[in-house]
Amino acid sequence: MDAAILLGSFIALILLRVPVAYALGLATLIGAWYIDIPLHAVMIQIAGGVNKFSLLAIPFFVLAGAIMAEGGMARRLVAFAGVLVGFVRGGLSLVNITASTFFGAISGSSLADTASVGSVLIPEMEKKGYPREFSTAVTVSGSVQALLTPPSHNSVIYSLAAGGTVSIAALFVAGIGPGLLLSFTMAALCLWFAKKRNYPKGEVIPLRQALKICVEALWGLMTMVIILGGILSGVFTATESAAVAVVWAFFVTMFIYRDYKWSELPKMLHRTVRTLSIVMILIAFAASFGYIMTLMQIPSKITTAFLTFSDNRYVILMCVNFMLLVLGTLMDMAPLILILTPILLPVVTSFGVDPVHFGMIMLVNLGIGLITPPVGAVLFVGAAIGKVTIENTVKALLPFYIALFAVLMAVTYIPAISLWLPSVVL
């Protein structure tokens, strides 16, 4: 009954269109009142939820991504991707995927990836003869890998939701395999479409111009080297790497590229702080919500229910995937990670699933949710940038959904895709 009160009140508040963060907080208070927990204990959990050093990674990575997205780095990475793959048939669609791979590995945000790469490439692809719906679908689906590859701030949120027991560095490195698999799968699908629909072949960029493009893009690509190299070499932690990324992004944008006006910095910082305030409130209330769930023994009850249903790990993982896919279409990613990780992690670990591996499964699932209606934030941004209706975008995305599901199945049932690299380098 106590679980029904907590979860039922949360669902009721969501249906009443209360913002997710406040729905979590109010449901926590209702649950605490029902099981007679002092409210000051809930307040302690709320304060403790954001009083963690590792949380500093989130504002720093979000700020670094904002600087890179607005400071000309995305445009230069698009040009660099054009040098690499733009000359083949359907080259601009490959440029889109490649640029998303590079920029996602720098920003760690699907929304920033879609907005930055899409604003440059969707109009250009249409100009070269690609349908606008297809161009938008490529941009939206390619951005999912930004959630997997470092510096994904969703990996940081998962680590926090897991109680800090899962290393952020391990999650960063583990995301490289699934991220590259997703990018290669999307690229293969784009090549197939290019051949089937006879999309235009790109032009080879002259050597002198190509060298200039590569040199300009190198400053942005160094961000990946600094973040991963610093973590793997032990020079700084994953959290400290976020601060280093901000300094480097600021230096490159303001002193090397010099495309961004100093007068625009306060506005960008204001937008970043507004975004972060929502995230931090969500994390604080989710910590108290998880505390009440633990007192009510909800995770152990759900584990028992799963064990009653089946003792086969593969069946349980498929059920978890189905649950995550459905919920991912109904809620945003961060609150789902914070709510579901304390519930599902004990379930899957009882079946021998590595917590790092499960983190990748969760990120792929919820990443698909971000580009799926009715609450697909990245889908809406992509459709707005591409000036295409949601219905037409979803129709164009259908083959990409199939490819993404194939990647999800591979990541779920082949743990080595996620775990091999961490076992080698960490």
Side-chain angles (χ1 to χ4, degrees), residues 54-76:
S54 56
L55 263 179
L56 286 172
I58 296 175
F60 281 131
F61 277 135
V62 171
L63 178 57
I67 294 172
M68 296 167 193
E70 299 183 25
M73 198 174 288
R75 177 168 52 81
R76 287 170 172 85

Side-chain angles (χ1 to χ4, degrees), residues 76 79-80 83-84 209-219 221:
R76 287 170 172 85
F80 177 63
V83 172
L84 297 180
Q209 185 181 348
L211 287 174
K212 181 183 177 182
I213 290 171
C214 292
V215 170
E216 287 190 346
L218 187 62
W219 294 102
L221 294 171

Side-chain angles (χ1 to χ4, degrees), residues 4 6 19 33 106 108 129 134 153 160 173 176-177 191 194 202 216 271 275-276 282 313 354 422:
L6 179 69
W33 167 79
I106 292 173
F134 174 77
H153 51 263
L160 292 168
V173 177
I176 295 174
L191 284 173
E216 287 190 346
R271 288 193 295 271
T275 301
L276 288 171
L282 181 62
R313 178 170 66 175
D354 188 280

Side-chain angles (χ1 to χ4, degrees), residues 357-377:
H357 177 212
F358 181 65
M360 295 302 106
I361 295 173
M362 179 171 273
L363 291 180
V364 176
N365 270 296
L366 300 184
I368 295 172
L370 283 179
I371 65 170
T372 308
V375 191

Side-chain angles (χ1 to χ4, degrees), residues 117-375:
V117 175
S119 60
V120 176
L121 274 175
I122 292 176
E124 186 65 23
M125 289 177 71
E126 185 185 29
K127 195 183 300 181
K128 298 293 184 181
Y130 293 82
R132 187 170 277 269
E133 293 83 359
F134 174 77
S135 306
T136 304
V138 172
T139 305
V140 168
S141 59
S143 71
V144 174
Q145 58 79 37
L147 303 168
L148 304 169
T149 51
S152 166
H153 51 263
N154 288 289
S155 293
V156 179
I157 294 174
Y158 173 77
S159 174
L160 292 168
T165 57
V166 184
S167 162
I168 296 174
L171 290 167
F172 277 4
V173 177
I176 295 174
L180 290 176
L181 175 63
L182 192 151
S183 296
F184 286 134
T185 304
M186 295 295 105
L189 185 59
C190 286
L191 284 173
W192 181 77
F193 274 123
K195 184 176 180 181
K196 181 181 179 182
R197 299 176 180 176
N198 198 31
Y199 285 147
K201 190 175 182 180
E203 299 176 358
V204 177
I205 297 174
L207 180 60
R208 179 172 294 185
Q209 185 181 348
L211 287 174
K212 181 183 177 182
I213 290 171
C214 292
V215 170
E216 287 190 346
L218 187 62
W219 294 102
L221 294 171
M222 279 297 294
T223 310
M224 292 187 292
V225 177
I226 290 171
I227 293 172
L228 271 181
I231 293 172
L232 297 179
S233 64
V235 174
F236 41 71
T237 66
T239 303
E240 292 164 346
S241 73
V244 174
V246 170
V247 174
W248 178 256
F250 180 80
F251 171 73
V252 171
T253 298
M254 305 308 297
F255 296 101
I256 296 178
Y257 291 159
R258 291 182 290 184
D259 288 349
Y260 202 70
K261 296 178 181 178
W262 288 86
S263 60
E264 294 292 322
L265 278 175
K267 295 178 182 178
M268 182 186 67
L269 290 172
H270 179 255
R271 288 193 295 271
T272 303
V273 170
R274 285 186 62 185
T275 301
L276 288 171
S277 63
I278 297 169
V279 174
M280 301 308 279
I281 290 171
L282 181 62
I283 290 172
F285 286 147
S288 61
F289 189 81
Y291 169 69
I292 297 299
M293 282 199 303
T294 302
L295 293 179
M296 292 179 173
Q297 298 183 327
I298 292 176
S300 61
K301 291 175 182 176
I302 291 178
T303 301
T304 303
F306 269 104
L307 289 170
T308 304
F309 176 72
S310 175
D311 59 357
N312 187 303
R313 178 170 66 175
Y314 302 110
V315 174
I316 295 300
L317 283 175
M318 182 58 74
C319 293
V320 169
N321 275 328
F322 179 75
M323 180 193 303
L324 291 172
L325 283 172
V326 172
L327 292 175
T329 67
L330 302 174
M331 281 180 64
D332 204 5
M333 188 170 193
L336 280 174
I337 294 174
L338 292 165
I339 295 167
L340 295 178
T341 301
I343 296 175
L344 295 178
L345 190 57
V347 174
V348 296
T349 52
S350 68
F351 285 91
V353 177
D354 188 280
V356 173
H357 177 212
F358 181 65
M360 295 302 106
I361 295 173
M362 179 171 273
L363 291 180
V364 176
N365 270 296
L366 300 184
I368 295 172
L370 283 179
I371 65 170
T372 308
V375 191

